[in-house]
Amino acid sequence: MSGSPKPLSIVIPTYNRSALLTQCLDALRTQTAGIESFDITVVDDHSPDDTPDVLRNAAQSMPNLTWTRQPENRGPAAARNRAASLSTGRLLLFLDDDIVASPDLVETHLRLHDNRGAQHGVVGHVSWLPGLKVTPFMTWVEEHPVLFNYANMTAGPQENIPAAFYTCNLSLARATFEAAGGFDERFPFPACEDTDLGVRLANEGFSLWYEPGAIAWHARAITLSDLRSRLRQTAPSVELFAQLHPETLLPGSEGHSRPDTPLWRLVRAVKRSLLRLAVQVTPSVGGYDLRSMHYACELGHAQLAGLRDLRRQQRT
């Protein structure tokens, strides 16, 4: 990247989401921190859509944007590592390609690193983009630690760093990131690779500050079907994390400790069917939140199905 190093570099991996990436980049054009304060590095993880055209056009009007393309799809861990290696900022701010930054996001992250040591990180808040239709399931996701645990986090230093290490809106010193070895590229999917880095950093004395005022928004809705598919697909990442950190339990790894005998499969299948029928009639009964039980049951089923898929692949 030409020119003097900036105080902060934004790192964005992207794959097959050109419309969402456009929204992400547009929000970075209007930051209250001027372009002399930050640059942006995007790595396209070999997208089959028009992502290269989007990035090529954006770079013509964004002098602080640099991008490159992976020769093959390797997952977000590898894409983030490559983007970080191509950037020069003293601080790295990790965002996802479906994230829309608030106007003062960069300024807030920079301020929260003032007079702090290299072992200090900042995680900001992420919610649904204003204007999205928020479904009951999306509300439930915000209230339960399925994707994020913001509902149970309070501003300030986090005691459980891995559980709060969300690289959709997180900054830390480049030196600290590099000393930890970056993201483990054995994680093939967008799952657990950030938590793994959080575990390693926590073991080295890293501190993580949660700042609700460092706001960004998810620009896409999510459905129960979406999340079921994701949990089933990312079983290899959950399995790898469990092998690397057997002492750390995270949402998505519960399937490793659940019985998976034919009898238990039958019990769970009956429960799943009954809940599917019940929520079509009423969301709750007798103080029981049937809708929440339905969501949890469906996602638990997806986790176990993904684990069984993985076991079958390992046997062949």
Side-chain angles (χ1 to χ4, degrees):
M1 183 173 292
S2 61
S4 301
K6 302 293 178 71
L8 180 146
S9 290
I10 297 176
V11 168
I12 304 172
T14 188
Y15 178 71
N16 205 30
R17 292 177 177 171
S18 60
L20 289 166
L21 178 63
T22 298
Q23 287 183 271
C24 175
L25 295 177
D26 284 346
L28 298 177
R29 297 174 186 269
T30 56
Q31 290 293 299
T32 55
I35 63 172
E36 69 280 356
S37 299
F38 72 101
D39 53 38
I40 307 159
T41 304
V42 181
V43 168
D44 171 22
D45 197 18
H46 207 76
S47 300
D49 65 2
D50 62 340
T51 291
D53 292 333
V54 166
L55 287 165
R56 193 175 296 111
N57 292 334
Q60 293 178 357
S61 58
M62 299 179 71
N64 58 340
L65 169 64
T66 297
W67 70 279
T68 191
R69 178 174 167 87
Q70 295 280 64
E72 60 182 359
N73 181 264
R74 296 185 55 203
R80 287 195 193 99
N81 282 345
R82 189 173 184 198
S85 72
L86 295 173
S87 65
T88 61
R90 178 180 62 84
L91 299 172
L92 300 174
L93 170 57
F94 294 100
L95 299 179
D96 285 342
D97 59 1
D98 59 352
I99 292 294
V100 172
S102 59
D104 63 347
L105 184 67
V106 171
E107 183 179 358
T108 301
H109 275 275
L110 283 169
R111 174 174 54 79
L112 291 169
H113 280 277
D114 281 348
N115 302 316
R116 302 292 184 102
Q119 290 294 88
H120 171 73
V122 176
V123 60
H125 188 76
V126 175
S127 187
W128 304 114
L129 183 67
L132 276 183
K133 181 181 179 182
V134 178
T135 65
F137 177 68
M138 291 163 68
T139 299
W140 183 85
V141 166
E142 280 200 302
E143 296 171 350
H144 294 78
V146 179
L147 292 178
F148 304 106
N149 196 32
Y150 291 119
N152 297 309
M153 292 164 57
T154 57
Q158 298 302 293
E159 182 176 350
N160 188 345
I161 290 171
F165 201 87
Y166 302 135
T167 47
C168 54
N169 182 7
L170 184 145
S171 61
L172 76 167
R174 168 186 298 279
T176 300
F177 175 78
E178 292 177 345
F183 294 96
D184 188 333
E185 297 184 9
R186 289 176 293 176
F187 286 95
F189 302 107
C192 305
E193 82 287 353
D194 48 1
T195 311
D196 166 74
L197 178 56
V199 171
R200 289 184 278 125
L201 287 171
N203 291 338
E204 297 299 322
F206 181 77
S207 64
L208 184 65
W209 183 280
Y210 170 49
E211 176 50 63
I215 299 172
W217 299 285
H218 266 126
R220 64 185 179 96
I222 186 169
T223 66
L224 177 58
S225 178
D226 293 335
L227 195 50
R228 277 199 313 248
S229 297
R230 173 175 172 171
L231 291 178
R232 186 162 186 166
Q233 179 192 44
T234 57
S237 289
V238 176
E239 176 80 348
L240 176 59
F241 184 92
Q243 294 171 357
L244 295 173
H245 310 288
E247 75 289 350
T248 304
L249 184 68
L250 76 164
S253 66
E254 294 89 341
H256 294 267
S257 59
R258 288 176 177 161
D260 198 27
T261 63
L263 176 60
W264 275 105
R265 289 183 198 177
L266 176 62
V267 170
R268 283 192 295 266
V270 171
K271 178 181 177 181
R272 186 180 176 213
S273 297
L274 290 174
L275 285 170
R276 280 186 165 185
L277 292 172
V279 295
Q280 295 180 34
V281 178
T282 178
S284 63
V285 63
Y288 289 96
D289 186 346
L290 297 180
R291 182 179 280 163
S292 181
M293 294 169 64
H294 164 60
Y295 295 153
C297 185
E298 290 291 321
L299 297 180
H301 172 79
Q303 292 166 4
L304 284 170
L307 193 57
R308 286 197 295 270
D309 291 344
L310 180 61
R311 296 286 184 265
R312 283 193 291 268
Q313 292 170 11
Q314 291 171 340
R315 289 194 296 266
T316 59

